[in-house]
Amino acid sequence: MPRSVPLHRTLAALLLSCALVVGATACGGSDDTSGGNAASTSAAASPAVSVSASVQKQRLAKTRFVANAGLAAGATYQWIIKPYRAGTFKKGAEGRRLALVKAGLAGGFAYNRLKAAAENAKGDPLLSKAVAPLTAGIESLKGLGTKLRKGEAGEGDVGAFESVIDSIKNAGRDAGAEVKDKVPSTSQLTG
């Protein structure tokens, strides 16, 4: 014997279906020639939505900046600066080959995370102003990972990593996003 469905459930299902259909058609094709979409247009029309969305975007930008810069700083200190100061990169040093491979991987990883941190900084006005002058320094690190891996890096190269990391940390601290070293695992380095 078929069971009847209460009226309020039927009405709720009908309203939900209508809302989905209206939402789908509203987000469908747009004659907007400026390159925007209907979703961004409706968000811009509602100030409460755009303000809270931009605040959330800025909060996430700082969080991501801190995470990426912290990983870059941790990798640089753990596998480049510390072994270099200990003399592990010198010819004849015990564990030199492994240290150079790890340093090369850490250099590439740190460069990648610093680029991501600089991109994340663009989401926060204060952080963006603080990090913008450092992008040239980050770009200068591009080939140092390979140089480290081959054992061709000198004190100036290691100092360049340390300088850029310190500058990023200072910029983050000045913008209210303090960066702390977070040493990535070896599996994170290899990607």
Side-chain angles (χ1 to χ4, degrees):
M1 169 154 104
R3 207 169 117 180
S4 66
V5 178
L7 182 62
H8 71 280
R9 283 189 182 172
T10 306
L11 187 58
L14 181 63
L15 287 173
L16 181 60
S17 298
C18 289
L20 289 173
V21 169
V22 170
T25 57
C27 291
S30 173
D31 292 337
D32 184 15
T33 58
S34 66
N37 61 24
S40 65
T41 305
S42 65
S46 172
V49 172
S50 67
V51 169
S52 64
S54 67
V55 167
Q56 183 67 14
K57 183 179 176 184
Q58 288 177 5
R59 185 174 303 132
L60 291 176
K62 273 189 177 180
T63 303
R64 289 178 179 161
F65 169 82
V66 168
N68 283 320
L71 285 169
T76 300
Y77 181 73
Q78 182 70 28
W79 287 298
I80 298 173
I81 296 170
K82 204 163 97 174
Y84 181 79
R85 288 183 181 160
T88 312
F89 294 164
K90 292 181 181 176
K91 289 186 179 184
E94 187 176 326
R96 177 178 187 254
R97 186 171 295 177
L98 181 61
L100 289 174
V101 169
K102 283 184 178 180
L105 291 171
F109 178 82
Y111 170 74
N112 182 301
R113 293 299 84 207
L114 287 172
K115 291 284 286 185
E119 190 63 33
N120 297 141
K122 293 177 183 177
D124 181 72
L126 187 59
L127 197 54
S128 179
K129 288 177 188 173
V131 173
L134 304 175
T135 55
I138 293 170
E139 276 304 311
S140 72
L141 302 177
K142 189 172 187 171
L144 288 182
T146 305
K147 205 171 178 181
L148 283 164
R149 189 172 33 248
K150 291 180 178 180
E152 300 170 352
E155 188 171 339
D157 299 319
V158 173
F161 261 108
E162 190 171 21
S163 174
V164 170
I165 293 293
D166 288 342
S167 298
I168 288 287
K169 284 178 155 183
N170 291 335
R173 186 182 61 242
D174 293 346
E178 188 161 346
V179 176
K180 296 183 192 259
D181 292 5
K182 181 172 178 9
V183 178
S185 67
T186 307
S187 63
Q188 284 178 307
L189 288 181
T190 59

